[in-house]
Amino acid sequence: MERQKKEVVIIGGGLAGLVASFLLVKSGHQVILIEKKVYPFHRVCGEYISNEVRHFLKRNGLFPDFIDMPQITKFEFSDTQGKSVRLPLDLGGFGISRFVLDEWLYHLAINEGVEFRTGIQVTGLEFDRKSDLFHLTLSDSSEVLAPFVFGAFGKRSKLDKSLNRRFFFQRSPYIGVKYHVKTDFLRDTVALHNFHGGYCGINAIEEGKFNLCYLGSREQLRHYGTIAEMEQQVLWKNPLLERIFKESEFLFDKPEVINEINFEPKLPVENHVLMLGDSAGLITPLCGNGMAMAIHSAKIAVEALNEGKSREHVERMYAQNWNEEFRRRLAVGRTVQKLFGSGRGSVIARNLIEHVPFAANLIMRNTHGQPF
Ligand SMILES: Cc1cc2nc3c(=O)[nH]c(=O)nc-3n(C[C@H](O)[C@H](O)[C@H](O)COP(=O)(O)OP(=O)(O)OC[C@H]3O[C@@H](n4cnc5c(N)ncnc54)[C@H](O)[C@@H]3O)c2cc1C
């Protein structure tokens, strides 16, 4: 396998795909990124980014300091009754909307030489052993052949079905809902407010706006029929959430909503595709670490491609580094989430944070990585 220039197709242009495309072109590879949507667009995401990526982004000219971003240094947690506790965050983070961040990275990547095909979906993906090439089918009926493919297509895609990935066939009880609001809340704080069946985050982003995003229950939405009714009947039982919903100015015509949010373990390499970001594993949102993981996974995938001496070596190196870096925090996130979304669990969690801050800090450390 030649060590210099490789052609890489990246499927999906979220943070993982965009950062990987930029780093690959910088390392001298030819890159095509295929994204099914057209930038800029909103995504369901809490838009709090852990500081562990700050140095990496700055080092690579990817830190969006052209915009005034709130620095978030404190954490507030309330149980389903609205009893709350605050503590400082260990690493902290910053807030910026994906609408702004992803579009900015998209333009940086174009300027660096990444070829984009947007508004086009990858509908089929096969690896041919004989030719040692991937064969991709696109929604515009075109086809692409490539020696390397990075899968950065997020938490769930039709491609997962065609790759026969196990998690795809398990139904998930969760939905995700996001708004941007103007409200009277602290700009240095990220809050997680529990309600029966889920939890809702709020934190500042750019231009004086706030992100209000929650993980809720598919069953409750079915039961109450509409998002608005479910919010009033379920979320508003937490008085802190009732106040936020009643007193905020909502900036979207309607919420961004997704379903089938699955936290089951996945594999970082499947069918010779290096899986990045959520395609390799979705961490529970309460950790506020999914975007940092997407960025970090892009870095280690590009390093594996640059340093690997054969396809097998690239895959082995990536899988090993991915497992070392992320497997544990994904598992801790799944465990901690069990304390959220129920009356009793959320009271236990609040008491833990209030009376054993050491334990709360330990959990935070175990759901985050170190700056890299
Ligand atoms: C409710 C909720 C709140 C969250 N809050 C936070 C938070 O506050 N902080 C944090 O760090 N993380 C948070 N996360 C997690 C975070 O949003 C993700 O981890 C992060 O977006 C992953 O980035 P990604 O690049 O892997 O995937 P994505 O950003 O989802 O990008 C995947 C891209 O692939 C495209 N795509 C999919 N299929 C195809 C295809 N077949 N062909 C072409 N394109 C395709 C999609 O259109 C999409 O643009 C939250 C998640 C949820 C569900």
Side-chain angles (χ1 to χ4, degrees):
M1 192 173 74
E2 67 167 311
R3 286 207 62 184
Q4 290 91 23
K5 218 173 192 180
K6 292 170 190 138
E7 287 165 33
V8 187
V9 170
I10 301 178
I11 308 172
L15 281 183
L18 288 166
V19 170
S21 74
F22 183 89
L23 298 178
L24 283 169
V25 169
K26 279 257 184 218
S27 317
H29 306 297
Q30 274 178 357
V31 182
I32 302 178
L33 192 155
I34 305 166
E35 165 55 51
K36 74 175 176 189
K37 296 195 177 170
V38 177
Y39 300 97
F41 57 93
H42 290 289
R43 302 171 188 276
V44 173
C45 178
E47 301 177 332
Y48 161 86
I49 308 191
S50 162
N51 270 336
E52 71 198 63
V53 297
R54 182 181 282 265
H55 297 302
F56 167 78
L57 293 179
K58 285 198 168 180
R59 237 179 16 251
N60 289 282
L62 298 172
F63 189 72
D65 42 15
F66 68 98
I67 200 157
D68 186 21
M69 291 178 297
Q71 304 307 311
I72 299 169
T73 55
K74 298 188 181 72
F75 176 58
E76 181 183 354
F77 178 94
S78 76
D79 60 27
T80 53
Q81 306 294 310
K83 265 187 115 177
S84 74
V85 56
R86 279 166 66 83
L87 82 163
L89 284 166
D90 54 348
L91 263 178
F94 53 96
I96 181 169
S97 71
R98 297 293 299 272
F99 189 88
V100 169
L101 179 60
D102 290 22
E103 200 203 9
W104 182 66
L105 292 173
Y106 163 62
H107 285 292
L108 285 183
I110 290 180
N111 291 341
E112 211 53 50
V114 177
E115 179 186 335
F116 276 87
R117 305 219 187 141
T118 58
I120 293 177
Q121 196 170 345
V122 178
T123 49
L125 170 66
E126 272 172 34
F127 179 71
D128 178 41
R129 265 178 209 289
K130 230 164 135 197
S131 61
D132 202 30
L133 286 173
F134 288 92
H135 187 146
L136 291 89
T137 321
L138 312 189
S139 53
D140 63 355
S141 304
S142 63
E143 293 180 346
V144 177
L145 295 178
F148 288 95
V149 169
F150 283 7
F153 39 80
K155 40 189 102 32
R156 186 182 169 89
S157 164
K158 280 183 194 150
L159 279 178
D160 290 311
K161 190 176 180 194
S162 67
L163 289 169
N164 212 14
R165 301 183 85 193
R166 217 176 55 166
F167 82 91
F168 189 92
F169 303 95
Q170 296 164 340
R171 290 224 71 185
S172 149
Y174 298 110
I175 57 164
V177 180
K178 170 179 121 170
Y179 302 93
H180 284 171
V181 300
K182 290 242 163 138
T183 197
D184 176 22
F185 188 68
L186 300 164
R187 293 192 67 74
D188 65 352
T189 300
V190 55
L192 277 183
H193 298 300
N194 278 268
F195 57 86
H196 182 65
Y199 51 93
C200 179
I202 180 164
N203 55 265
I205 53 170
E206 72 279 355
E207 294 172 355
K209 293 183 282 194
F210 286 83
N211 173 301
L212 183 64
C213 184
Y214 62 87
L215 192 73
S217 142
R218 177 169 54 94
E219 182 49 33
Q220 281 174 351
L221 178 58
R222 201 192 55 75
H223 180 78
Y224 290 106
T226 65
I227 294 273
E229 186 62 20
M230 178 186 71
E231 286 169 353
Q232 291 194 22
Q233 298 300 330
V234 182
L235 278 73
W236 293 19
K237 295 267 165 12
N238 178 332
L240 298 179
L241 282 176
E242 181 182 19
R243 195 179 70 78
I244 292 169
F245 272 81
K246 279 187 170 164
E247 293 178 6
S248 300
E249 178 193 349
F250 283 75
L251 305 173
F252 294 166
D253 292 341
K254 55 183 178 56
E256 288 288 316
V257 184
I258 52 170
N259 55 23
E260 295 298 340
I261 304 170
N262 197 316
F263 302 107
E264 292 302 311
K266 304 174 185 173
L267 293 173
V269 180
E270 282 197 50
N271 197 21
H272 305 287
V273 178
L274 303 196
M275 299 291 180
L276 275 55
D278 287 356
S279 298
L282 174 62
I283 191 160
T284 50
L286 65 97
C287 305
N289 204 239
M291 288 190 280
M293 285 176 53
I295 293 167
H296 200 165
S297 68
K299 174 180 179 279
I300 62 177
V302 173
E303 284 169 355
L305 192 77
N306 284 341
E307 290 162 28
K309 294 180 175 50
S310 64
R311 180 184 299 286
E312 200 257 325
H313 188 205
V314 169
E315 290 177 14
R316 197 162 17 91
M317 207 186 320
Y318 179 63
Q320 189 179 333
N321 290 341
W322 188 95
N323 279 315
E324 272 170 22
E325 196 56 53
F326 305 122
R327 187 157 295 287
R328 183 182 154 86
R329 55 180 118 153
L330 284 158
V332 174
R334 276 192 294 271
T335 305
V336 176
Q337 181 152 275
K338 295 192 182 121
L339 290 175
F340 282 62
S342 81
R344 217 165 138 247
S346 66
V347 170
I348 294 172
R350 180 182 48 74
N351 276 317
L352 191 75
I353 295 169
E354 198 165 356
H355 302 297
V356 200
F358 166 74
N361 279 316
L362 197 67
I363 291 170
M364 275 187 213
R365 272 204 297 281
N366 277 295
T367 52
H368 285 72
Q370 288 306 309
F372 57 95

